[in-house]
DNA sequence: ACATAAAATGTAAGCGCTTACATTTATATC
DNA sequence: GATATAAATGTAAGCGCTTACATTTTATGT
């Protein structure tokens, strides 16, 4: 592999000049620039990005930590991020945290030890304190789907209260009054917010929240199954079930079917996230859209702007959910 | 950030010694090793991986090129790969090729320019010739889901003929004789192979292949929709439809339902890949399992073994598909 | 106790770039 | 044409490590 030294020799200029043309430094005459580029192509020269990184103290890499590499939620997020960065010749190093405090922490340290210039973090288990501490370090990071007051400007979040509200409002407007709810784990902010929105909508319709109709799940499919069973075997009847995410809704649907319920006639179900497979589920699931792809891109823009000082579209921190009506909710149940 | 130099000073040893303890070189006495590690922790020393890479000419990074970061197929693959590598402190740089020749090529060059020690490629559009040429370069790579004779030992593939065979055989054994087929794009090897297996099973059951019942799709959902329409409006009747992947099967199901068919009673459908959402689809889709997670891990092992000279479980190049029976195929249709 | 081999440690030259600073060359001003 | 100024180019010192080779220390055999 040709090095910058050989290029400089062939072109008859100094190392510095070659470096300058690589970095588009303006102080190079057109004539020498041409000499250099010719030499480069002639040698098939490719700059060594490791050496560039060492010398410039900039690795051009950003770390991306997600809970899982698989699953319908993270794909669109990673996709938005990768696209945004590659356009700028930054590369993304991925790691999975598996919603586990220790593994998330390890992953962050791994990414930092890899000299990432910045980090995009979708963490769930790690503590606020750790992140606040981390923010004092020298690697900038942005948080997706997590709000920490002290770090507000770097938290890219969805208005989950509104989302919860929208879901419940829709179901209420279809005439349902007995509505069960499977929440996420309530120590998580987003789970709390969605539930809060839910309650708010109920209140607006003068329906009191029935604790019997609440089940706390964990955002995973199985807890949707368990949640439905629990609710179904309880004393309170319900015509609609709202789940705090689509996975749980899916689990609940399977479970409802096993209890011989006909969907959606005998039970209306609503999800949250608008993960791609909600269209495929039967009946197609009404849900709340989580613009995760856009939020990923925004996170990338944050890094591009704050770390690499690029000009980007205006940074936005709060995103709005939208109701997605499909066919899993019936009107006027009896 | 502390450097190796400061550590060496604090420990009262030379740079080389510090480097040796970092790299677990055996020629270090326990006493000095302790001195050094104490100094390290005292300074909170973290080696600069960029400098390590430059000096050792090994970046400890491997490039992973997939068609899409999203979608159900690649998630498990990336997941298997990331897990395998992080255990060995290698990091993975991801890029998406979007099944486009130019973008795949760009992505490969991007990855190489990032000094990846090795590459894991899931490419679709790029030519065999390009890959053969690439194999003469200095960056080793392994191919997933692609077979090139000249590169056979680095092609990790599924026995697609067998998979196609298994699918058709199952449907035939349930008593179907009029079976439609939506293939993938037939310029792709895997699409060809699946179809070949399909035909083989038909032949074994003495059923001649009806060209009228073949539609060439592109592995995407919409082509399943289009394919069903085409087939349904054709002259040949069929009781079962086999699709060359799950996405197309899903599209076909939606389309069949729009044509007021009751599933699975009036039409049995079979997929391929066993992508996670096939469980959620209704009726749960019978399909053929593609052990993509394992294949990803194997690709990682290949790199670990060939590039990093680690000892790994035996390398395996050919994987076998398995039939997954769920509820989308009925028995003895009339 | 001495020679010899083995183990431990040190020295210093890179790895391939960037960049502050110095120097040279071109351009403008009068 | 001499001078001041700006533009272009060169020089050389790193960036933080690894590693070949040289040197010193320790262990071994007699």
């Amino acid at each position: 592999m040709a090095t910058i030294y050989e290029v400089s020799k062939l072109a008859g200029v100094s190392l510095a000049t070659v470096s300058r043309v690589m970095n588009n430094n303006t102080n190079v005459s057109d004539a020498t620039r041409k000499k250099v580029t010719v030499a480069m192509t002639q040698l098939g020269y490719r700059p060594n990005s490791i050496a560039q990184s060492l010398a410039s103290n900039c690795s051009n890499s950003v770390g991306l930590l997600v809970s899982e590499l698989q699953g319908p939620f993270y794909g669109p997020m990673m996709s938005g991020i990768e696209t945004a960065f590659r356009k700028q010749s930054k590369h993304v190093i991925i790691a999975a945290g598996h919603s586990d405090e220790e593994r998330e922490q390890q992953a962050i340290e791994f990414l930092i030890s890899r000299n990432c210039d910045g980090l995009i973090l979708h963490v769930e288990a790690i503590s606020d304190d750790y992140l606040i501490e981390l923010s004092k370090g020298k690697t900038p990071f942005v948080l997706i789907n997590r709000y920490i007051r002290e770090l507000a400007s770097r938290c890219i979040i969805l208005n989950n209260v509104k989302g919860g509200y929208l879901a419940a409002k829709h179901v209420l407007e279809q005439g349902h009054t007995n509505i069960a709810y499977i929440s996420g784990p309530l120590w998580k902010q987003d789970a709390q917010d969605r539930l809060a929105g839910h309650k708010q909508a109920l209140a607006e319709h003068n329906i009191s929240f029935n604790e019997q109709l609440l089940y706390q799940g964990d955002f995973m499919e199985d807890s949707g199954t368990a949640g439905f069973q629990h609710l179904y075997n309880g004393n309170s009847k319900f015509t609609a079930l709202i789940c705090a995410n689509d996975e749980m809704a899916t689990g609940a649907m399977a479970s409802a079917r096993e209890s011989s319920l006909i969907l959606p006639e005998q039970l209306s179900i609503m999800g949250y996230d608008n993960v791609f497979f909600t269209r495929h589920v039967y009946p197609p699931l009404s849900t709340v859209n989580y613009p995760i792809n856009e939020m990923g891109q925004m996170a990338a823009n944050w890094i591009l702007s704050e770390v690499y000082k690029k000009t980007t579209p205006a940074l936005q921190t709060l995103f709005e959910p939208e109701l997605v009506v499909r066919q899993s909710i019936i009107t006027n149940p009896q």
Side-chain angles (χ1 to χ4, degrees), chain A residues 157-171:
Chain A
I157 52 172
L158 183 72
N159 187 342
N160 275 308
V161 176
K162 171 115 167 264
Y165 173 82
L166 250 28
K169 176 156 172 278
H170 175 65
V171 172

Side-chain angles (χ1 to χ4, degrees), chain A residues 7-317:
Chain A
V7 174
S8 78
K9 244 178 40 183
L10 214 189
V13 299
S14 72
L15 292 188
T17 301
V18 177
S19 176
R20 284 191 191 100
V21 346
M22 276 200 282
N23 297 295
N24 286 314
N25 187 307
T26 48
N27 287 343
V28 180
S29 72
D30 290 351
T32 47
R33 184 179 299 273
K34 178 151 290 173
K35 274 195 298 185
V36 172
T37 49
V38 166
M40 281 175 167
T41 53
Q42 196 168 327
L43 291 169
Y45 171 74
R46 306 219 154 276
N48 179 324
S49 63
I50 302 267
Q52 286 178 317
S53 296
L54 183 60
S56 65
N57 195 28
C58 166
S59 67
N60 283 309
S61 72
V62 353
L64 171 57
L65 175 55
V66 295
S67 294
E68 301 295 337
L69 260 27
Q70 45 191 318
F73 189 77
Y74 298 103
M77 173 176 145
M78 296 191 285
S79 195
I81 291 172
E82 194 262 349
T83 306
F85 282 130
R86 195 126 73 81
K87 276 187 202 143
Q88 306 285 341
S89 291
K90 310 298 175 202
H91 67 263
V92 1
I93 299 180
I94 45 166
H98 302 285
S99 307
D100 175 82
E101 177 159 20
E102 196 183 324
R103 292 167 86 177
E104 286 182 352
Q105 220 161 299
Q106 281 173 358
I108 290 176
E109 274 160 30
F110 176 78
L111 258 13
I112 290 180
S113 81
R114 244 55 198 176
N115 290 74
C116 290
D117 298 327
L119 262 30
I120 296 179
L121 268 24
H122 185 291
V123 285
E124 310 196 272
I126 227 162
S127 71
D128 283 11
D129 288 344
Y130 179 92
L131 292 168
I132 291 172
E133 202 52 43
L134 187 67
S135 72
K136 296 172 186 157
K138 77 173 190 51
T139 308
F141 62 88
V142 57
L143 261 17
I144 292 191
N145 194 40
R146 172 134 181 187
Y147 182 78
I148 299 178
R149 198 163 35 75
E150 291 87 340
L151 269 29
S153 66
R154 41 171 99 182
C155 295
I156 296 183
I157 52 172
L158 183 72
N159 187 342
N160 275 308
V161 176
K162 171 115 167 264
Y165 173 82
L166 250 28
K169 176 156 172 278
H170 175 65
V171 172
L172 287 161
E173 285 174 353
Q174 302 312 303
H176 295 264
T177 51
N178 295 306
I179 303 174
Y181 191 86
I182 300 183
S183 74
L186 290 173
W187 55 270
K188 288 190 185 174
Q189 189 64 45
D190 52 354
Q192 274 176 38
D193 288 350
R194 291 174 192 191
L195 179 56
H198 178 82
K199 288 180 174 171
Q200 184 186 327
L202 288 184
E204 280 186 12
H205 281 71
N206 296 314
I207 294 182
S208 63
F209 180 72
N210 178 354
E211 288 286 344
Q212 302 289 320
L213 287 180
L214 170 66
Y215 178 87
Q216 186 178 163
D218 63 3
F219 279 145
M220 299 205 277
E221 188 178 346
D222 286 348
S223 75
T225 309
F228 172 79
Q229 295 297 350
H230 174 88
L231 263 9
Y232 190 61
N233 296 330
N235 298 317
S236 302
K237 297 299 156 210
F238 51 96
T239 60
L241 169 62
I242 300 184
C243 297
N245 79 350
D246 293 332
E247 330 266 323
M248 295 194 297
T250 307
M253 283 171 82
S255 183
R257 248 189 212 109
E258 281 199 354
S259 298
S260 303
L261 291 189
I262 296 175
L263 302 181
E265 288 76 7
Q266 298 179 9
L267 179 64
S268 291
I269 297 192
M270 175 113 205
Y272 197 113
D273 280 350
N274 192 24
V275 128
F276 80 95
F277 70 74
T278 46
R279 293 178 299 143
H280 300 325
V281 133
Y282 186 79
L285 189 64
S286 290
T287 187
V288 172
N289 186 54
Y290 193 135
I292 185 62
N293 183 290
E294 289 84 337
M295 287 169 68
Q297 281 176 243
M298 187 53 68
N301 282 338
W302 192 94
I303 297 280
L304 253 15
S305 157
E306 301 293 308
V307 177
Y308 297 112
K309 309 303 176 196
K310 303 255 175 190
T311 53
T312 59
L315 297 181
Q316 172 188 354
T317 217

